Amino acid sequence: MKQVCPACGEDTLFVTESVYDGFRKTGETRRCTQCGHILRDTGGRKPSAGKTAAPGANPLWDAFAKDSTDDTPALFDIEAETGKLCRKCTHYVVNPFTQRCMLHDREVEATDSCEQFRAK
């Protein structure tokens, strides 16, 4: 929208930008593209205290709360699962055409495992 800016006096365009409080839109401001002067708040609503959700009402939004802790549950014991993989063994040899275990003299995959594992 083109009009005269009261700060710089130029006939310029104004950009309408949304104002947020967290993830909630609280209003809009109009800013001059020449000088950056904020003209006014259009539709500036303050979030009412009665519309705030109770903690625990929506677990998805509680994940974004500032007081939430970063306790990521350990679902798998990664080292126990990947500890004896062939790709970590001294007998594992990679060729452009095949992957081999030189102890058993056979083709293997990197994610295979065996009891004769010897770490690199």
Side-chain angles (χ1 to χ4, degrees), residues 17-28 43 45-47:
E17 298 175 336
S18 299
V19 178
Y20 292 93
D21 179 25
F23 288 109
R24 187 179 307 261
K25 183 176 177 181
T26 58
E28 294 179 339
R45 305 179 307 239
K46 298 287 181 186

Side-chain angles (χ1 to χ4, degrees), residues 21 44-45 49 65 67 78 93 111 120:
D21 179 25
R45 305 179 307 239
D67 60 344
I78 300 297
V93 176
T111 55
K120 288 184 181 180

Side-chain angles (χ1 to χ4, degrees), residues 84-96:
K84 294 185 177 184
L85 293 180
C86 285
R87 68 182 168 90
K88 295 182 178 181
C89 184
T90 58
H91 304 292
Y92 178 69
V93 176
V94 178
N95 184 314

Side-chain angles (χ1 to χ4, degrees), residues 13-14 27 31 50-51 53 67 69 79 94 104 106 112 117:
L13 296 173
F14 282 84
R31 184 177 50 86
K51 291 187 177 183
D67 60 344
T69 58
E79 189 56 40
V94 178
H104 296 111
R106 64 181 174 143
D112 290 348
F117 173 81

